[in-house]
Amino acid sequence: MKRPLSILALTGTLALGAFAGFQVNDRFSEASTVTAAVPQGQMIPAVAQATPTAPATYDNGRARTESEANTVNVVKARQNGLVYISVTESADTSPQAQLRQQFQQQLPFGFATPDNSQPQTGTGSGFFVNAQGDIITNNHVVEGASEITIRLHGNKATYKAKVIARAPDFDLALIRAEGVPASAIQPIPLGDSDNLDVGLKAIAMGAPFNLDFSVSEGIISSLERTVPVGTKEVYQSVIQTDAAINPGNSGGPLLNSSGQVIGVNTQILTGGAGQSAGVGFAIPVNTVKKILPQLQAGKGGVIQTPTLGIQFTDLSGLTSDQRSQAKLPASGALIQSVAPNSPAAAAGLKGGSNRALNLDPSGQAGAQATVSTDGDIVTAIDGQAITAGDDLRRAIIGKQIGDTVKLTVVRGGQTRTVNVDLKAFTFPSAAQQ
């Protein structure tokens, strides 16, 4: 059965990039030489036109290739849109503080160990998205913080910031700093993550291990990856890149050769050392663009996502023998229970009760190893077939509260369509939606 990986696992699985980078300060500043606006979708110019009789040179000979010159110009054009974020936890016993402490203990040699007598701190990255000074970062960078301060590239001045809104289920947050001069706010344009190809250039900017203004370059390694994102750990589509992403890069921009944001750096796959192993993940920028209006109107709150309120078994996770024994289809969400007062209950969906399928013939796992086979089976949502349980979770989390979805449901061998009006609903179960 397909099991969600913990987004906070620290050895050999997915590790959040913000839980590190303590007590290390560095500074790097270089004046920008690119001031002209770049039209949407066009590559930032790499070179001036070479004369017909002279060999092409780039950046007065410093850049040896056109690709190098493009990278240099992208960085110079966008570096002042980068934001460094520092947070102080409200209490060292909070879940976020404990996670930061746990991650810090696994840092390589040369970095400080936690001092539990002092307030716990952490760092991350972010970037301006508009002229009003709105800053996008990861939710896990700022969640649970009692104080947030930011600094801008090439400037030691610090500014207090506040959370405008958080979207924990997408690991995104919007913050705004106080007193930042309007001339210092340089938003980075947002691109289109639906218009990407594997192999295209990817440039990551941020502050890994609290090393201000660090740039790494790679390519888009995959557009077919899904990983558990956010508090519900729903598998969502992400951009995989081999551009080095390390603790402290969280919330920073992933850019294309046009200098547009294509993703928000969020996670890394580690080899157990809590640092980059060449596999990093970014939240697609189109997810950011979809949620941004809600974040901007959030007034300090949490953007909630709808929940059906069911507990189900993913039929694709059962063996063919188990499905054959219970006369179940190859895929779908077999409902085990429906929470009272949930959207699913209001729509009349039914859970099972017969516990007819024993997944552990040895009997050692007890009642948890039994599956009821007489509940409704959800086979499609809005006409899209459910081939795995995460298809249902992913479809629901992509909706908004107040939306109505059409579920194709099989009950007693009969197929029917059920309309479900979505709302926010809390149902504490790992196998929920």
Side-chain angles (χ1 to χ4, degrees):
M1 181 177 295
K2 187 175 182 182
R3 296 179 57 194
L5 296 174
S6 172
I7 196 171
L8 299 176
L10 299 176
T11 55
T13 55
L14 296 171
L16 290 180
F19 302 138
F22 298 82
Q23 309 303 323
V24 179
N25 291 297
D26 191 14
R27 180 175 179 267
F28 183 91
S29 177
E30 185 170 356
S32 174
T33 61
V34 177
T35 58
V38 178
Q40 181 82 0
Q42 293 186 16
M43 184 176 72
I44 286 181
V47 300
Q49 289 293 329
T51 61
T53 58
T57 60
Y58 305 100
D59 197 16
N60 199 26
R62 287 185 296 173
R64 303 302 182 186
T65 68
E66 186 174 357
S67 178
E68 285 180 341
N70 170 252
T71 302
V72 169
N73 285 340
V74 167
V75 172
K76 287 182 177 180
R78 305 308 184 204
Q79 60 190 2
N80 292 330
L82 186 64
V83 174
Y84 312 125
I85 301 172
S86 298
V87 302
T88 302
E89 300 292 350
S90 56
D92 60 10
T93 56
S94 70
Q96 287 293 323
Q98 292 174 353
L99 288 169
R100 295 182 197 276
Q101 292 175 32
Q102 183 182 5
F103 195 92
Q104 186 183 21
Q105 290 168 355
Q106 299 198 13
L107 287 177
F109 61 88
F111 290 89
T113 55
D115 179 0
N116 292 329
S117 65
Q118 301 295 323
Q120 294 300 306
T121 61
T123 62
S125 305
F127 57 94
F128 289 117
V129 292
N130 58 28
Q132 289 70 47
D134 288 341
I135 300 165
I136 281 288
T137 186
N138 285 144
N139 175 70
H140 73 256
V141 171
V142 298
E143 183 181 5
S146 60
E147 183 179 83
I148 304 171
T149 59
I150 71 158
R151 288 185 299 107
L152 308 183
H153 172 249
N155 192 333
K156 288 296 184 182
T158 60
Y159 304 91
K160 289 187 177 182
K162 62 180 180 180
V163 174
I164 302 302
R166 299 186 294 108
D169 294 332
F170 298 96
D171 197 20
L172 292 171
L174 188 74
I175 65 174
R176 189 177 296 153
E178 302 171 354
V180 179
S183 60
I185 299 172
Q186 298 190 23
I188 304 179
L190 305 182
D192 182 358
S193 51
D194 289 339
N195 191 27
L196 298 175
D197 291 305
V198 173
L200 288 177
K201 179 186 289 187
I203 303 170
M205 295 199 302
F209 299 113
N210 208 14
L211 299 173
D212 292 0
F213 191 60
S214 235
V215 178
S216 60
E217 178 182 303
I219 63 170
I220 296 173
S221 303
S222 177
L223 296 170
E224 301 177 358
R225 207 68 64 222
T226 59
V227 301
V229 175
T231 53
K232 290 183 180 178
E233 294 190 344
V234 174
Y235 274 73
Q236 300 177 42
S237 295
V238 294
I239 299 169
Q240 180 185 330
T241 180
D242 66 348
I245 298 174
N246 282 292
N249 274 120
S250 283
L254 187 69
L255 306 173
N256 61 14
S257 61
S258 301
Q260 300 166 336
V261 178
I262 56 174
V264 180
N265 302 320
T266 185
Q267 302 178 28
I268 55 176
L269 188 65
T270 76
Q275 54 191 311
S276 175
V279 180
F281 302 111
I283 300 167
V285 74
N286 284 8
T287 300
V288 178
K289 291 194 294 186
K290 178 180 178 181
I291 299 173
L292 186 56
Q294 298 178 63
L295 290 171
Q296 290 172 322
K299 299 181 180 180
V302 173
I303 306 302
Q304 294 182 303
T305 55
T307 302
L308 285 179
I310 64 174
Q311 186 176 28
F312 64 89
T313 295
D314 180 0
L315 291 180
S316 68
L318 300 179
T319 67
S320 57
D321 287 343
Q322 289 169 338
R323 291 194 298 267
S324 176
Q325 173 188 339
K327 298 180 180 180
L328 295 170
S331 61
L334 174 60
I335 299 179
Q336 298 297 298
S337 63
V338 177
N341 302 315
S342 67
L349 293 178
K350 303 293 184 182
S353 59
N354 62 9
R355 293 186 177 179
L357 183 60
N358 186 2
L359 302 184
D360 184 10
S362 68
Q364 296 180 359
Q368 292 183 347
T370 62
V371 170
S372 295
T373 60
D374 56 341
D376 289 344
I377 302 174
V378 182
T379 60
I381 177 169
D382 290 336
Q384 297 295 315
I386 296 172
T387 59
D390 284 312
D391 293 341
L392 180 58
R393 292 189 178 98
R394 193 157 44 243
I396 293 297
I397 204 172
K399 301 293 184 179
Q400 295 187 24
I401 294 172
D403 287 350
T404 298
V405 296
K406 292 184 178 182
L407 302 182
T408 303
V409 176
V410 177
R411 178 186 295 178
Q414 301 296 315
T415 300
R416 63 195 184 103
T417 299
V418 177
N419 293 328
V420 182
D421 296 324
L422 299 177
K423 67 177 183 179
F425 183 79
T426 301
F427 183 28
S429 171
Q432 66 173 352
Q433 190 48 67

